[in-house]
C-alpha cells in the first residue's frame, strides 16, 4: 500500500481538514461558497498540480 495510495490518503485527510475548517470559520465570517463547492475546487486544483508535475 504505497505509491499512489499514499497520495490518496493524504488528499482525503486534507479534504477532511478543509471541510472542518470551513465549518468552523463559517459562523465567524462570511464564506461565499458552499462547503461542497470549496472541496470540488480544492480537488480540481490538486489534480491540476498533479498533472502539471507529471508532464
Amino acid at each position: 500500500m504505497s505509491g499512489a495510495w499514499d497520495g490518496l490518503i493524504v488528499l482525503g485527510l486534507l479534504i477532511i481538514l478543509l471541510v472542518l475548517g470551513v465549518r468552523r470559520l463559517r459562523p465567524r465570517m462570511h464564506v461565499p461558497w458552499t462547503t461542497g463547492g470549496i472541496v470540488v475546487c480544492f480537488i480540481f486544483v490538486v489534480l491540476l498540480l498533479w498533472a502539471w508535475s507529471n508532464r
Side-chain angles (χ1 to χ4, degrees), residues 25-49:
L25 281 177
R26 198 174 289 276
R28 295 185 196 154
M29 59 182 280
H30 175 67
V31 180
W33 290 355
T34 62
T35 306
I38 294 172
V39 169
V40 168
C41 181
F42 178 76
I43 292 173
F44 181 71
V45 169
V46 168
L47 288 175
L48 274 176
L49 290 173

Side-chain angles (χ1 to χ4, degrees), residues 1-54:
M1 286 226 357
S2 63
W5 288 108
D6 293 341
L8 190 63
I9 291 168
V10 169
L11 182 64
L13 289 174
L14 284 174
I15 290 172
I16 290 171
L17 288 174
L18 181 71
V19 169
L20 291 176
V22 168
R23 289 191 178 179
R24 185 163 294 188
L25 281 177
R26 198 174 289 276
R28 295 185 196 154
M29 59 182 280
H30 175 67
V31 180
W33 290 355
T34 62
T35 306
I38 294 172
V39 169
V40 168
C41 181
F42 178 76
I43 292 173
F44 181 71
V45 169
V46 168
L47 288 175
L48 274 176
L49 290 173
W50 174 72
W52 183 265
S53 69
N54 282 337

